[in-house]
Amino acid sequence: LLTESGGGLVQAGGSLRLSCAASTQTFSSYDMGWFRQAPGKEREFVAAINWSGGSTFYSHSVKGRFTISRDNRKDTVYLQMNGLEPDDTAVYYCAAGTALSDKADDYDSWGQGTQVTVSS
């Protein structure tokens, strides 16, 4: 079970940190990803991190502004979002899988999502 938190309303240029807590003792064996879905749009990849935290990659639209990290002692993955823009408004989902991937189909477990709204 994955549970996201940390979403909210923020002004453009502001920051938020999302957290995703996993209720599993095997969290450290999973690669983790963040995706988002805006109203009327398809779910899109945001960032991913491998099981150890040693490899990360980002979508072009967030690279340089967002940072994904994880703490395997706390079974939690984070998404630090800086320089937020109105186009970042979406429901953000974390996902767990066994491949470091930007494809939603490669992830097996999903959280319920947390809303991020960026006002202009």
Side-chain angles (χ1 to χ4, degrees):
L1 180 65
L2 302 174
T3 305
E4 301 95 337
S5 61
L9 174 63
V10 64
Q11 289 187 332
S15 298
L16 283 174
R17 188 175 83 153
L18 305 184
S19 299
C20 171
S23 59
T24 173
Q25 294 181 346
T26 60
F27 174 79
S28 62
S29 66
Y30 288 97
D31 299 319
M32 300 295 296
W34 284 98
F35 291 74
R36 66 187 182 186
Q37 188 167 19
K41 295 186 178 181
E42 294 186 353
R43 189 170 297 190
E44 66 170 351
F45 169 75
V46 174
I49 188 167
N50 78 329
W51 64 272
S52 70
S55 294
T56 60
F57 74 108
Y58 301 88
S59 70
H60 178 74
S61 61
V62 308
K63 192 171 185 179
R65 299 188 297 123
F66 291 10
T67 302
I68 189 171
S69 61
R70 67 190 295 161
D71 186 340
N72 287 342
R73 297 168 300 175
K74 296 182 179 179
D75 296 337
T76 301
V77 62
Y78 305 97
L79 185 69
Q80 177 68 43
M81 306 185 295
N82 298 329
L84 283 162
E85 304 168 353
D87 283 349
D88 296 318
T89 295
V91 177
Y92 283 70
Y93 300 88
C94 68
T98 55
L100 188 63
S101 172
D102 59 357
K103 296 177 177 56
D105 288 346
D106 289 334
Y107 292 86
D108 305 310
S109 298
W110 293 80
Q112 82 291 347
T114 186
Q115 176 71 46
V116 172
T117 303
V118 184
S119 63
S120 57

